[in-house]
Amino acid sequence: MSGRYTEHDIEHYDRPRRRTRPRTKDRPTYDDAVEAVVVTVDRGRFTLAYEGRRVMAMKSRPLGRKGVVVGDRVRVVGDMSGDDGALARIVEVQDRTTTLRRTADDDDPVERVIVANAAQLVVVAALADPEPRPRLIDRALVAAYVSGMKPILCLTKADLADPETLLATYRSLGVPYVVTQRGGDVELVRRVLSGTTSVLVGHSGVGKSTLVNALVPDAQREVGVVNAVTGRGRHTSTSAYMLALPDDEGWIIDTPGIRSFGLAHVQPEDLIGAFPDLDEKTGECPRGCTHGHGEPECGLDLAMESGTLDPERVESFRRLLAAREGGGDH
Ligand SMILES: Nc1nc2c(ncn2[C@@H]2O[C@H](COP(=O)(O)OP(=O)(O)O)[C@@H](O)[C@H]2O)c(=O)[nH]1
Ligand SMILES: [Mg+2]
Ligand SMILES: [Zn+2]
């Protein structure tokens, strides 16, 4: 037997074999479930990482319409052999520590979670070819701050343009950064990613897959060509994909060119919470103060006037706050 999946297997696993607890009438306990991580999703089929191998799985019926995304930690029953044709079943999704969402679009009114449980959000931007888009970077940073991911700025293609202007924009926010270039050493990037799970985001063509290939020798992520006329990358990857870094150093998630971050649910207090030094100046703000430009008697303005806050830092925070609104990531 190749361990091929059949209807019979489903029936079988719906009823736990050992019953150590009294039988619950309508909910199996899945005592024999194991834990795995979702590495990619393709048309309703999930690839899981389990004990160093790849296992295909589908959602079990009790999960219903609940989404399962890359990075999700799941409990699984069934054939975990990873053999050709083997298919396991996801019976539970663990609570997520962080989520990355993309915006609703015209034919889909719901903001979708696209990656779960990443601890770091690496915002990848090319210094040229394609030109950096500060507004997209700002929105990615907001997504990181409000979800509790640590943001990291990764500026690629330093062989084509100088990073200083762009770095100056983000210095007062204190965003950690790395700069890479063609043929350069990725050791610094490796160090920044070490020991945790990071998701790479950025417009297509900025060099995300190139970076993944440099970090994970057998990754074989497809690398695209930037169109000479439009300066845009061809969309080479269609789904997020999680890979283990060598030597158990953590995980990296490559994503297709994300153009829009779901920020509709973001409130001002969600964002300022990520900046404790600013937050502590807002205790006396009028009720409902967003701490944005032009708010009367905002504590941030008072603190700047009395010289206890750096105006550039406040300005950068307010730029992020304004970036929440109006979409317009392109
Ligand atoms: N000049 C230069 N080109 C790069 C660099 N990194 C990537 N590229 C090129 O940029 C194009 C898009 O790269 P890719 O990794 O597919 O970008 P992705 O869409 O973000 O995954 C490819 O032609 C790469 O060879 C770099 O540091 N310098
Ligand atoms: Mg790519
Ligand atoms: Zn305020």
Side-chain angles (χ1 to χ4, degrees):
M1 274 276 298
S2 67
R4 185 166 286 278
Y5 143 83
T6 63
E7 276 304 312
H8 173 79
D9 290 329
I10 293 190
E11 286 301 312
H12 175 75
Y13 286 110
D14 268 333
R15 297 183 204 104
R17 273 162 293 184
R18 282 175 294 113
R19 253 185 264 289
T20 49
R21 279 177 247 164
R23 179 177 184 156
T24 20
K25 207 167 170 219
D26 39 13
R27 232 171 194 282
T29 56
Y30 299 119
D31 289 337
D32 52 351
V34 296
E35 282 186 28
V37 182
V38 177
V39 299
T40 196
V41 182
D42 183 24
R43 278 161 291 164
R45 288 291 161 97
F46 303 87
T47 306
L48 313 179
Y50 175 70
E51 291 188 343
R53 45 179 197 274
R54 294 288 149 83
V55 174
M56 296 299 291
M58 57 184 273
K59 278 201 290 190
S60 70
R61 203 162 303 137
L63 281 181
R65 295 176 60 81
K66 189 177 168 66
V68 178
V69 302
V70 173
D72 263 328
R73 299 193 183 98
V74 291
R75 298 184 72 235
V76 194
V77 296
D79 189 339
M80 299 299 286
S81 66
D83 291 343
D84 250 6
L87 193 62
R89 277 189 320 127
I90 299 169
V91 293
E92 192 184 331
V93 182
Q94 316 273 43
D95 287 345
R96 294 166 176 160
T97 56
T98 66
T99 54
L100 177 68
R101 298 158 190 268
R102 69 164 170 72
T103 35
D105 30 64
D106 296 342
D107 45 3
D108 179 1
V110 186
E111 277 189 9
R112 297 277 170 201
V113 174
I114 44 180
V115 171
N117 300 321
Q120 300 193 133
L121 185 84
V122 183
V123 186
V124 187
L127 291 158
D129 189 31
E131 288 298 307
R133 291 173 168 76
R135 191 177 161 80
L136 181 62
I137 298 173
D138 286 349
R139 288 177 60 85
L141 292 177
V142 173
Y145 287 126
V146 300
S147 178
M149 288 181 276
K150 178 183 175 185
I152 292 160
L153 198 52
C154 177
L155 303 181
T156 62
K157 311 198 187 187
D159 50 309
L160 301 180
D162 186 271
E164 188 44 42
T165 314
L166 201 58
L167 282 177
T169 311
Y170 294 96
R171 195 156 283 138
S172 66
L173 284 175
V175 185
Y177 66 87
V178 285
V179 178
T180 65
Q181 58 182 292
R182 171 156 282 163
D185 188 3
V186 290
E187 192 44 41
L188 211 57
V189 182
R190 199 185 298 281
R191 223 175 294 162
V192 162
L193 302 183
S194 175
T196 187
T197 299
S198 307
V199 53
L200 305 184
V201 297
H203 212 279
S204 85
V206 296
K208 297 179 295 298
S209 297
T210 301
L211 212 51
V212 169
N213 287 338
L215 291 163
V216 186
D218 54 357
Q220 295 180 303
R221 297 295 290 160
E222 200 187 330
V223 166
V225 180
V226 179
N227 186 299
V229 179
T230 64
R232 289 191 178 206
R234 189 161 51 91
H235 287 265
T236 40
S237 23
T238 53
S239 166
Y241 199 100
M242 181 155 93
L243 295 123
L245 292 165
D247 306 323
D248 283 331
E249 289 271 17
W251 298 88
I252 187 168
I253 302 168
D254 190 12
T255 62
I258 296 176
R259 290 150 183 257
S260 57
F261 296 91
L263 304 178
H265 62 294
V266 176
Q267 299 302 311
E269 55 269 30
D270 300 333
L271 187 61
I272 201 157
F275 301 91
D277 59 319
L278 303 187
D279 200 11
E280 71 175 24
K281 307 292 186 195
T282 63
E284 311 275 285
C285 281
R287 265 189 71 191
C289 182
T290 65
H291 322 304
H293 288 289
E295 286 281 8
E297 290 170 70
C298 178
L300 298 184
D301 291 307
L302 303 180
M304 281 192 291
E305 278 161 30
S306 64
T308 55
L309 276 184
D310 171 15
E312 269 189 46
R313 186 164 164 83
V314 173
E315 181 52 41
S316 294
F317 163 75
R318 286 179 164 168
R319 195 185 68 229
L320 294 191
L321 195 65
R324 284 177 312 142
E325 278 136 24
D329 290 335
H330 298 261

